[in-house]
Amino acid sequence: EVRLVESGGGLVQAGGSARLSCEASGYTFDDYAIGWFRQAPGKEREGVSSISSDGTIYYADSVKGRFTISSDNAKNTVYLQMNNLKPEDTAVYYCAAPCYSDPEDGLYGMDYWGKGTLVTVSS
């Protein structure tokens, strides 16, 4: 059974940082690229970032230069380092797999989702 578990959310002041983790289990870690998504209240889900085993990385324009995605294959975990957080980054953040990326179309192809972790950025 594929399982994705997010952690690391919480309350952060604007301009601060947070690191989210997505621990994967139930499959061979390298088989699937993993993506991060977020959904703010009343808004559509947004693809934020993804990383694949061949090192392909995708960032949404809204987070480029502030967020960094990385993976630790030994721990079957993908991280999302978020710096210079803004109130508009407030959302529930989810990881999902598999996750394909396209520069034009963003992230797609997800079959498995975690339950999410809430990040609240106060102004």
Side-chain angles (χ1 to χ4, degrees), residues 6-56:
E6 304 93 340
S7 61
L11 178 62
V12 184
Q13 285 193 332
S17 298
R19 189 178 80 157
L20 305 183
S21 300
C22 173
E23 184 174 359
S25 60
Y27 69 99
T28 301
F29 188 66
D30 280 351
D31 283 352
Y32 293 158
I34 288 182
W36 282 100
F37 297 77
R38 66 186 180 185
Q39 188 163 22
K43 294 189 177 181
E44 291 188 356
R45 186 182 65 201
E46 175 188 15
V48 173
S49 182
S50 70
I51 187 167
S52 66
S53 59
D54 68 359
T56 301

Side-chain angles (χ1 to χ4, degrees), residues 75-121:
K75 296 183 178 179
N76 287 358
T77 299
V78 170
Y79 303 99
L80 186 68
Q81 177 67 41
M82 307 186 295
N83 297 330
N84 190 21
L85 283 162
K86 305 174 182 180
E88 51 263 44
D89 294 317
T90 294
V92 178
Y93 284 74
Y94 302 88
C95 60
C99 188
Y100 306 99
S101 65
D102 181 89
E104 299 281 330
D105 298 329
L107 302 180
Y108 62 96
M110 299 72 63
D111 291 327
Y112 306 102
W113 293 84
K115 294 183 178 180
T117 186
L118 176 63
V119 175
T120 303
V121 184

